[in-house]
Amino acid sequence: NMSGAPKFPLVTTDHWNIFSKERNRSAKRRLQGPVSYRQDDSGGDVDTLLNTDSERGDSGAMLPPAFTDELTGIEFEMSDIRRKMTHLESLHADHLRNAFDDDREKENEIEILTKQITRGFHKCQNAIKLIGQKARNSSTQQQRMAANIMSSLASTLQEESSDFKKLQSGYLNRFALSLTSFVIHCIVRDSLL
């Protein structure tokens, strides 16, 4: 899928307003007294978000997961990979149209772009591993969340890598076919002379 649209919306949903509202409501409930006197005791996700002291700063507000920067980095890198793959696909098509022109500049651009895409995949892979490392000292809930995120990212990365391999394979097969056609054309032309 090289449409440019992300297959997996990485950390793009803004939950801050919901979180702030629920945090404030929970703090208000704590000030009102014991659970038995509360009017609105919804529990559930709100309490889960607010129940671990190890994740709180001095202000009592919940801190984001330790791996937030890696998620942002992966999202940027995957977007960059998709953009570069689209550009590489157009370079391949252009190069195949003019396959027998001596266009070293185009070949070099294809080679550089291919290496950049490969490095991007390696960066993403390393960042996914780093998420796991950073989540080790987190709460059980954040470790579970990190494991789910890592699994989803790895799956998305694998799909993109597969698309890249197909792009490369298709280009090389079409290039070999055009080269074979050119050689056959030359043999036939020379035999007619």
Side-chain angles (χ1 to χ4, degrees), residues 1-189:
N1 178 14
M2 289 176 277
S3 64
K7 292 180 182 176
F8 176 73
L10 303 173
V11 195
T12 57
T13 307
D14 182 16
H15 292 290
W16 178 250
N17 291 335
I18 296 168
F19 171 76
S20 297
K21 180 180 164 187
E22 296 298 332
R23 181 189 61 200
N24 294 340
R25 191 165 36 151
S26 178
K28 199 182 298 182
R29 280 192 305 229
R30 274 187 247 131
L31 292 174
Q32 291 173 350
V35 175
S36 59
Y37 294 108
R38 291 187 195 160
Q39 295 287 334
D40 177 27
D41 186 27
S42 62
D45 292 338
V46 175
D47 290 338
T48 304
L49 285 172
L50 301 168
N51 68 357
T52 51
D53 292 332
S54 64
E55 296 169 357
R56 296 175 191 275
D58 293 334
S59 67
M62 182 120 158
L63 297 176
F67 48 83
T68 302
D69 290 341
E70 283 70 28
L71 289 173
T72 304
I74 291 170
E75 182 179 37
F76 173 79
E77 197 64 46
M78 291 297 286
S79 173
D80 194 45
I81 287 171
R82 286 183 199 101
R83 183 184 55 76
K84 286 178 179 176
M85 284 174 56
T86 301
H87 183 57
L88 182 61
E89 189 173 29
S90 72
L91 286 174
H92 284 169
D94 190 41
H95 188 247
L96 288 172
R97 274 192 298 276
N98 306 309
F100 303 105
D101 294 346
D102 191 24
D103 193 358
R104 301 264 184 232
E105 187 176 314
K106 181 99 37 212
E107 291 170 5
N108 286 337
E109 190 176 357
I110 289 171
E111 185 178 340
I112 289 168
L113 200 53
T114 301
K115 287 178 181 179
Q116 289 174 347
I117 292 169
T118 303
R119 273 194 301 270
F121 281 121
H122 289 292
K123 280 182 186 178
C124 289
Q125 187 177 22
N126 290 334
I128 291 171
K129 289 177 186 176
L130 192 56
I131 288 172
Q133 293 170 358
K134 286 190 170 190
R136 281 191 194 133
N137 297 326
S138 300
S139 69
T140 305
Q141 182 183 10
Q142 282 197 4
Q143 288 176 3
R144 201 172 324 127
M145 178 174 56
N148 290 339
I149 289 171
M150 289 170 55
S151 174
S152 180
L153 289 171
S155 176
T156 302
L157 188 63
Q158 187 175 13
E159 288 175 24
E160 291 295 331
S161 178
S162 177
D163 288 348
F164 178 61
K165 288 175 185 174
K166 287 176 189 171
L167 175 69
Q168 291 293 89
S169 176
Y171 167 68
L172 292 175
N173 288 337
R174 289 189 317 264
F175 188 76
L177 184 61
S178 66
L179 183 61
T180 303
S181 296
F182 179 73
V183 169
I184 291 172
H185 173 74
C186 289
I187 291 171
V188 168
R189 185 193 65 201

